[in-house]
Amino acid sequence: MKKEGLMHELKKNKLLFLMLLPGILYFFVFQYIPMSGIVIAFKQFRFDKGIFHSPWVGFDNFDFFFRSGKAWIITRNTILYNLAFMATGLILQLATALFIAEIGRKFVKKYIQTTLLFPFFISWVVVGTFIYNLFNFEYGIINHYLKDWGMEPVDIYSSSSSWSYIIVFFNNWKYIGYNSLIYLAAIYSIDKSLYEAAEIDGAGIMQRIRLITLPLLMPTIMILLLLAVGQLFRGNFELFYNVVGNNSLLYNQTDVIDTFVFRSLIQSADIGMTAAAGLYQAVLCLVIILVTNFTIKKYNSDYSLF
Amino acid sequence: MSRSLEQKLFHSAGYLFLIALAVLCVLPLLFIFGGSFTSEQSVIRNGFSLIPKEWSLEAYELAFKNPKDLFQAYFISFSVVAVGTAAGLLMTAMTGYVLSRRDFKYRNFFSFFIYFTSVFSGGLVPWYIMMVSYLDMKNNFLALILPLLLNVFYIIVMKSFMSGIPFEIIESGKMDGANELRIFFKIILPVSGPALATIGLFIALQYWNDFFSAMLFITDQSLMPLQYYLYKMVNSMDALSRMASMSGVPIPQMPKETLKLAMTALVVLPIIFVYPFVQRHIIGGVTVGAVKG
């Protein structure tokens, strides 16, 4: 019965199916087929034998991954960086959007918005060279000025303590214009008459923000935070790789799951263990997305993602 | 606190905050351009500074002495952006359109099929092995296109935009005897201008700034896109000495540090040219997307 339904549907909407085909094929080939490669995580992978003929090793790869001590460091770093991005990002982006919305001569808005969006257009490779130009020990701009003022130059590339701040700073720098746009759009969609009524009642700017803007922004804030929580175990590879580079002195502070997996893959050190690390990340991602979605649905189904 | 005082304080704080941010956002460019026009000698003696102490064009002279690799990288990047954006946008639009059709029976099934890939994936390793061992993507131009061709999020945005188009338009098209392809190309695409512009821009920007695909799959110099070429220049002495030897400049005399910044400036240049024209589309697009929720 059901099969007939499908055949009937196929015949009726031949062209629609045809239009859908490239997209479906794409996801099938590039997403679903590689999923079967997950078995590598349970095998001792050998390139000459391929995915399906390499010998099974059970959970040895995971065992090795967790006992190397790497698992803990990269998981901790990934989570802490994402939490730092979320907290600082939320405050800075909200502040930016509120300021732009409230103080607004038109040309100020236009020019400031235009400048803030610029970093979004620059690749992380370019940001990486800029950071090198800024912090380099011998030639860097910061050390140039430190020396000019008679202070000792600092060699940031061999000490790890400042990198977490630098990374959080540049992540905010790159995305502040883009993300504050989303808040700004939500602010503009708030009914103007609410503000007019508040004005008549004698509310000041801070009262208007606290009593009207922020409460009405809550759905947008929640959605953006939720999306960020879903990405808690994912590191932005391009950011970490370009800002820090392949600097083993800094791994304790700057290595995230994505950079670790990439490095192990390229160095072909241990494909099975690398695949295990990748699967570990994929499962954590799935679990956290399901858990957040479930929690939110329970609390208020309007905010849930699916 | 009196209302006017509060207002003044808020406005001054706001201007201070926003102007400081705006300065921070363009400062890197000034550093890069300033550094690239400095003489290598002055950099070695004093390091970089915002305004060059000794102006010099030596870095650019070297970059253009034997510009074959550089122009090849531009050519690859422009080709990737052109091909990838055209193919990606068309496929995103088609997929989003079919999934937006209320009368398409299996749209929920296919939506989930696509959406699920953003929640779970096999991870980098199986994907890489499939690309290299089974699809022959090592040093293949397609390896620069395929990884970013379709994006779940853009399909969802496209779908929700197209769901907003009144269904009667499609029905009246059918009534006039147009087939589905004709309806899509002649009716739906022309009224989807804003969505196409925004998503096309996002796809183009992603392709332009991508270096991950090249890093994974490309070792052949003639297939290197600009960003990866720059990455190699900045991070490996090999790439720099290759450039020097091809231009016949002795390696000790090569303006190493300023050359890195000159290359960076050359990579950013196209963005600076198109930025004034494209940024308002992004602003418009985000605004539309956010209001839709």
Side-chain angles (χ1 to χ4, degrees):
Chain A
M1 188 66 207
K2 196 149 197 194
K3 210 160 192 173
E4 253 179 54
L6 177 66
M7 291 318 281
H8 176 71
E9 202 62 29
L10 260 175
K11 214 174 240 166
K12 198 179 80 184
N13 287 323
K14 220 173 16 201
L15 283 173
L16 284 184
F17 276 99
L18 204 66
M19 287 165 78
L20 193 58
L21 189 67
I24 295 299
L25 216 59
Y26 178 85
F27 284 102
F28 183 72
V29 173
F30 294 100
Q31 294 287 334
Y32 285 93
I33 292 181
M35 276 184 209
S36 67
I38 286 171
V39 293
I40 299 171
F42 305 96
K43 290 191 163 197
Q44 188 190 12
F45 182 73
R46 290 175 46 177
F47 271 102
D48 55 330
K49 295 198 168 172
I51 297 175
F52 299 103
H53 299 289
S54 294
W56 292 95
V57 290
F59 281 90
D60 281 8
N61 289 324
F62 292 90
D63 205 40
F64 183 60
F65 173 55
F66 285 110
R67 257 194 291 178
S68 69
K70 287 283 181 198
W72 158 243
I73 293 173
I74 58 179
T75 311
R76 178 201 64 189
N77 285 350
T78 313
I79 296 175
L80 287 182
Y81 275 115
N82 277 322
L83 289 177
F85 293 162
M86 278 158 74
T88 55
L90 176 68
I91 293 168
L92 287 171
Q93 291 151 18
L94 260 181
T96 310
L98 287 171
F99 277 135
I100 293 182
E102 285 287 341
I103 56 171
R105 294 202 191 113
K106 203 148 193 176
F107 73 91
V108 177
K109 272 184 202 173
K110 217 176 110 186
Y111 285 114
I112 289 199
Q113 240 178 329
T114 303
T115 2
L116 295 195
L117 197 58
F118 190 71
F120 183 73
F121 280 76
I122 305 276
S123 74
W124 278 113
V125 184
V126 170
V127 179
T129 50
F130 164 62
I131 289 174
Y132 171 85
N133 162 258
L134 210 55
F135 293 113
N136 182 277
F137 181 65
E138 291 157 276
Y139 316 115
I141 286 174
I142 289 183
N143 282 332
H144 170 77
Y145 285 108
L146 283 181
K147 278 186 254 173
D148 265 11
W149 297 328
M151 283 185 274
E152 280 296 299
V154 275
D155 188 5
I156 282 182
Y157 281 91
S158 62
S159 72
S160 53
S161 53
S162 338
W163 280 98
S164 38
Y165 300 106
I166 296 173
I167 287 171
V168 171
F169 178 87
F170 278 99
N171 188 69
N172 276 312
W173 176 81
K174 192 145 185 338
Y175 297 117
I176 192 164
Y178 179 71
N179 284 328
S180 61
L181 265 181
I182 300 174
Y183 288 119
L184 200 57
I187 293 175
Y188 286 151
S189 71
I190 294 172
D191 188 355
K192 293 286 166 299
S193 62
L194 286 173
Y195 291 111
E196 280 155 23
E199 194 114 30
I200 292 165
D201 289 344
I205 289 184
M206 291 317 282
Q207 273 175 311
R208 284 205 314 254
I209 289 175
R210 207 165 33 118
L211 299 172
I212 304 174
T213 314
L214 284 182
L216 289 173
L217 273 184
M218 267 328 263
T220 312
I221 294 175
M222 290 298 289
I223 294 265
L224 289 183
L225 281 183
L226 253 182
L227 287 171
V229 169
Q231 302 293 315
L232 198 60
F233 294 103
R234 266 182 212 159
N236 182 342
F237 174 84
E238 301 227 341
L239 183 171
F240 287 95
Y241 204 74
N242 281 304
V243 170
V244 187
N246 230 340
N247 188 338
S248 57
L249 290 171
L250 309 176
Y251 285 163
N252 255 342
Q253 298 288 320
T254 61
D255 212 9
V256 290
I257 305 178
D258 295 76
T259 46
F260 173 79
V261 170
F262 173 79
R263 223 176 35 242
S264 320
L265 173 70
I266 289 305
Q267 292 164 355
S268 286
D270 183 343
I271 294 287
M273 194 266 283
T274 310
L279 181 56
Y280 160 76
Q281 180 185 34
V283 171
L284 285 180
C285 282
L286 178 67
V287 169
I288 188 109
I289 289 173
L290 293 180
V291 168
T292 28
N293 198 58
F294 178 77
T295 321
I296 295 301
K297 219 170 195 169
K298 225 171 167 182
Y299 161 70
N300 184 339
S301 61
D302 289 347
Y303 297 161
S304 74
L305 295 172
F306 54 88
Chain B
M1 187 160 33
S2 86
R3 269 185 60 194
S4 63
L5 180 63
E6 186 194 358
Q7 192 142 356
K8 267 184 200 152
L9 275 174
F10 187 89
H11 278 233
S12 343
Y15 277 113
L16 220 63
F17 180 81
L18 291 177
I19 288 170
L21 261 183
V23 170
L24 277 179
C25 286
V26 289
L27 214 51
L29 275 188
L30 302 181
F31 281 145
I32 288 169
F33 280 102
S36 70
F37 285 111
T38 312
S39 84
E40 185 78 5
Q41 288 310 312
S42 121
V43 168
I44 290 172
R45 249 180 288 118
N46 310 309
F48 287 111
S49 57
L50 183 53
I51 298 145
K53 289 210 172 96
E54 293 168 24
W55 290 82
S56 157
L57 285 173
E58 58 180 346
Y60 289 96
E61 275 164 17
L62 176 57
F64 285 109
K65 202 156 194 174
N66 187 344
K68 214 178 118 245
D69 286 355
L70 178 65
F71 286 157
Q72 179 69 12
Y74 270 113
F75 174 71
I76 293 290
S77 276
F78 282 125
S79 316
V80 166
V81 169
V83 176
T85 309
L89 190 57
L90 179 66
M91 278 171 71
T92 305
M94 286 199 304
T95 315
Y97 170 64
V98 178
L99 296 180
S100 78
R101 283 280 296 258
R102 262 168 288 171
D103 57 336
F104 186 66
K105 207 172 154 195
Y106 296 98
R107 72 196 169 106
N108 285 332
F109 169 77
F110 286 119
S111 295
F112 183 78
F113 180 85
I114 289 172
Y115 183 74
F116 182 72
T117 61
S118 72
V119 182
F120 187 76
S121 75
L124 184 66
V125 179
W127 181 76
Y128 177 79
I129 290 175
M130 191 202 59
M131 290 286 278
V132 170
S133 310
Y134 296 87
L135 296 176
D136 197 25
M137 285 294 156
K138 202 88 199 178
N139 283 324
N140 184 335
F141 179 74
L142 284 178
L144 298 171
I145 307 274
L146 290 171
L148 297 175
L149 191 59
L150 281 185
N151 173 312
V152 178
F153 180 68
Y154 300 158
I155 294 178
I156 293 175
V157 172
M158 193 61 94
K159 174 184 151 186
S160 61
F161 180 88
M162 287 176 167
S163 310
I165 299 172
F167 196 66
E168 290 73 37
I169 295 186
I170 298 166
E171 277 180 332
S172 73
K174 275 187 180 169
M175 224 98 89
D176 293 340
N179 71 21
E180 296 289 357
L181 283 176
R182 207 181 157 81
I183 292 175
F184 175 71
F185 284 106
K186 293 276 159 166
I187 301 176
I188 298 299
L189 283 190
V191 296
S192 304
L196 293 174
T198 315
I199 289 176
L201 245 164
F202 272 105
I203 298 177
L205 189 61
Q206 273 196 338
Y207 275 119
W208 178 259
N209 282 340
D210 175 45
F211 92 121
F212 189 57
S213 318
M215 199 168 187
L216 280 173
F217 302 115
I218 304 295
T219 50
D220 180 353
Q221 181 76 36
S222 65
L223 278 171
M224 267 178 207
L226 210 47
Q227 306 289 343
Y228 186 52
Y229 184 53
L230 172 65
Y231 174 83
K232 296 259 298 189
M233 280 284 158
V234 176
N235 289 285
S236 95
M237 205 46 221
D238 291 352
L240 281 172
S241 40
R242 177 186 153 93
M243 183 166 198
S245 69
M246 282 177 61
S247 340
V249 175
I251 293 172
Q253 284 168 30
M254 175 177 50
K256 207 175 76 181
E257 295 303 319
T258 53
L259 178 62
K260 290 176 184 174
L261 290 188
M263 294 296 295
T264 313
L266 290 171
V267 169
V268 183
L269 218 54
I271 291 276
I272 294 177
F273 280 127
V274 299
Y275 186 68
F277 304 103
V278 300
Q279 51 89 13
R280 64 198 170 88
H281 284 289
I282 297 266
I283 294 182
V286 173
T287 317
V288 170
V291 172
K292 277 220 84 112

